[in-house]
Amino acid sequence: MRSIRPSSTTSRGGWTRRRNSPVLAAALASALALTATACESGDAAAGGEASSSAAASASASDDGKLKIPDDIRDRLREHGIDVDKWKNGAWKNWDRDDWLREANEYINPIIEGLWDPDRMRDAEEPDQGVDDSDLAGDQGVTDPTPEPVEAQAVPPSYHANAPTAGKVFFDSPKGSAVCSATVVKDPAHPGKSNLVWTAGHCVHAGKKGGWYRNIAFVPSYNDDGKPVAELENVTREDVAPYGVWWGDWAQTSDQWIEQGGSTGGDGAPYDFAVIHVTPEKGSGGKSLEEMTGSALPVDFKAPAVPKTKSVTAIGYPAAPPFDGQKLYRCQDRPGRLSITASDPTMYRIGCTMTGGSSGGGWIAPGTDGKPALVSNTSIGPVTSGWLAGPRLGDVAKGVYDSVSKKFAGR
């Protein structure tokens, strides 16, 4: 999670808007999928299938390989993307002035084998700490700081005890990073969801940056709970038994994009995101939900904080004293945390989990009494001891519904 400091920024309703042409967005996505497909073995980028529209607009070169039409190449260059440089590793080069920000600029072509066990293990939490004494500026309704609740290790196998939990890996200008995430149900594809819920700051840097790159989800990461020493010589199947799933679309709130910061509480009440994923390698036609055997419903009308008796937060804490390789959880009765009076009040629980647990699901009985996702880890103090997460309402539902509808006919 991100460490907290006060915010005086106000928010607006709505979710990520489509300011640019959806036709161009589709062309960009199709072209990059096509590029990945046409890569030679040994290239940095590979994998992914070209859509039928992309295939129809592609032509064959003399060597029989697919070629991206010149008009699409030109439009990609207008957005600062050279597909040839990209597939050969240009994703490693970050130009902050050209960092993509809008929803329809989300670009995440599959780079097969990029997330190997070593790179997964070395990914760090993306958080920076500030002193939680800054909370003196809070407005609105805030309950007393909860007593720390010691995080409990989830017994392996994680798939048997927490089948919807996993890790999100991504690249930022500062290097590879990691968050936690949850497989959630998709109303457009009952029983066959490819949706993952996490924090907004795990996919987008907020007001001073753009979309992160190479976003991938690994359900039941390190399912056997092996210690770090035993993970140095393992296969990818050992740490990713249900595969690596790349985000082919991600969406967060307008409030996070416009207000969110790498530290502090700016945008925290809207710090959530939904990722639609696709398998890096064949899944036998199975969806993520079918592969994991489980997905949680999302409750956007969960009881108000004072009426919620218990919430369980789950994640892979990576900052000391944790190492990011094992799954933990905390259970506590939530209190209220208000960053600004104009923003929704957040849930807050006692918990000793640290950075890396960001984005991990908060589970409580939903309106029907069955387990549901009601929040996700967003912020906590630099010294640990508590976590806070947004209460999911209309804005969160708008993000969720938008991603679901985008893939409804596919």
Side-chain angles (χ1 to χ4, degrees):
M1 71 284 175
R2 298 171 300 115
S3 298
I4 186 170
R5 64 186 176 200
S7 167
S8 59
T9 309
T10 57
S11 64
R12 300 190 286 110
W15 50 89
T16 305
R17 301 184 299 277
R18 304 277 195 270
R19 292 190 182 87
N20 297 322
S21 165
V23 175
L24 177 57
L28 294 173
S30 297
L32 283 169
L34 185 59
T35 304
T37 305
C39 290
E40 299 176 6
S41 59
D43 282 345
E49 295 182 359
S51 67
S52 57
S53 60
S57 63
S59 60
S61 62
D62 293 339
D63 58 6
K65 295 179 181 178
L66 292 174
K67 179 182 178 182
I68 296 174
D70 291 338
D71 62 329
I72 294 181
R73 281 182 179 273
D74 292 341
R75 279 183 283 174
L76 286 169
R77 288 196 180 97
E78 289 175 6
H79 285 254
I81 300 163
D82 185 316
V83 292
D84 292 322
K85 291 180 179 179
W86 183 285
K87 74 178 183 179
N88 289 317
W91 52 268
K92 297 178 181 178
N93 302 321
W94 292 80
D95 184 340
R96 291 179 182 274
D97 293 334
D98 295 328
W99 198 353
L100 303 179
R101 288 184 55 82
E102 302 301 332
N104 50 356
E105 291 176 320
Y106 174 81
I107 297 171
N108 199 48
I110 293 173
I111 302 177
E112 189 171 334
L114 175 69
W115 291 109
D116 59 28
D118 290 339
R119 206 160 187 268
M120 290 184 195
R121 189 178 64 252
D122 293 340
E124 299 180 353
E125 82 288 348
D127 315 304
Q128 299 176 3
V130 294
D131 194 328
D132 61 332
S133 63
D134 286 345
L135 282 172
D138 284 342
Q139 302 176 37
V141 180
T142 294
D143 293 322
T145 301
E147 291 295 321
V149 172
E150 195 71 26
Q152 301 296 311
V154 175
S157 81
Y158 300 150
H159 182 257
N161 294 294
T164 60
K167 296 181 78 169
V168 168
F169 297 92
F170 56 95
D171 282 316
S172 77
K174 297 180 179 179
S176 58
V178 65
C179 279
S180 301
T182 306
V183 183
V184 294
K185 291 187 176 295
D186 181 356
H189 297 282
K192 297 183 178 182
S193 175
N194 284 308
L195 301 185
V196 174
W197 191 282
T198 190
H201 76 266
C202 298
V203 299
H204 194 287
K207 60 186 175 184
K208 292 185 178 180
W211 295 100
Y212 293 127
R213 297 177 177 173
N214 305 318
I215 299 173
F217 175 67
V218 177
S220 298
Y221 172 80
N222 189 23
D223 189 47
D224 294 331
K226 291 183 173 68
V228 174
E230 294 182 20
L231 292 174
E232 294 181 358
N233 296 295
V234 297
T235 66
R236 191 157 74 152
E237 287 68 27
D238 288 329
V239 293
Y242 298 94
V244 177
W245 297 71
W246 283 70
D248 54 6
W249 188 257
Q251 198 155 329
T252 185
S253 65
D254 273 350
Q255 288 87 342
W256 173 254
I257 289 177
E258 295 171 4
Q259 302 171 15
S262 60
T263 61
D266 295 354
Y270 299 95
D271 185 15
F272 40 74
V274 178
I275 308 171
H276 185 278
V277 298
T278 189
E280 177 177 310
K281 295 184 177 180
S283 61
K286 291 184 177 180
S287 65
L288 175 62
E289 181 177 359
E290 290 171 308
M291 286 292 287
T292 61
S294 186
L296 278 173
V298 184
D299 194 334
F300 300 101
K301 295 183 179 180
V305 178
K307 296 181 179 180
T308 303
K309 295 181 179 179
S310 178
V311 170
T312 299
I314 191 165
Y316 286 85
F322 305 97
D323 57 25
Q325 308 309 310
K326 295 182 179 179
L327 190 63
Y328 285 81
R329 60 189 170 200
C330 290
Q331 184 174 2
D332 194 18
R333 181 163 191 161
R336 294 166 291 184
L337 175 65
S338 177
I339 304 300
T340 62
S342 59
D343 283 343
T345 299
M346 301 177 72
Y347 290 105
R348 181 164 65 163
I349 62 172
C351 184
T352 59
M353 285 199 292
T354 58
S357 60
S358 285
W362 288 34
I363 303 166
T367 50
D368 61 0
K370 297 179 181 179
L373 186 138
V374 298
S375 185
N376 57 264
T377 297
S378 174
I379 53 176
V382 67
T383 54
S384 77
W386 57 262
L387 302 176
R391 185 165 182 264
L392 307 181
D394 290 343
V395 175
K397 189 175 188 303
V399 172
Y400 175 77
D401 288 346
S402 178
V403 178
S404 176
K405 290 176 182 177
K406 180 179 179 66
F407 293 87
R410 305 187 192 182

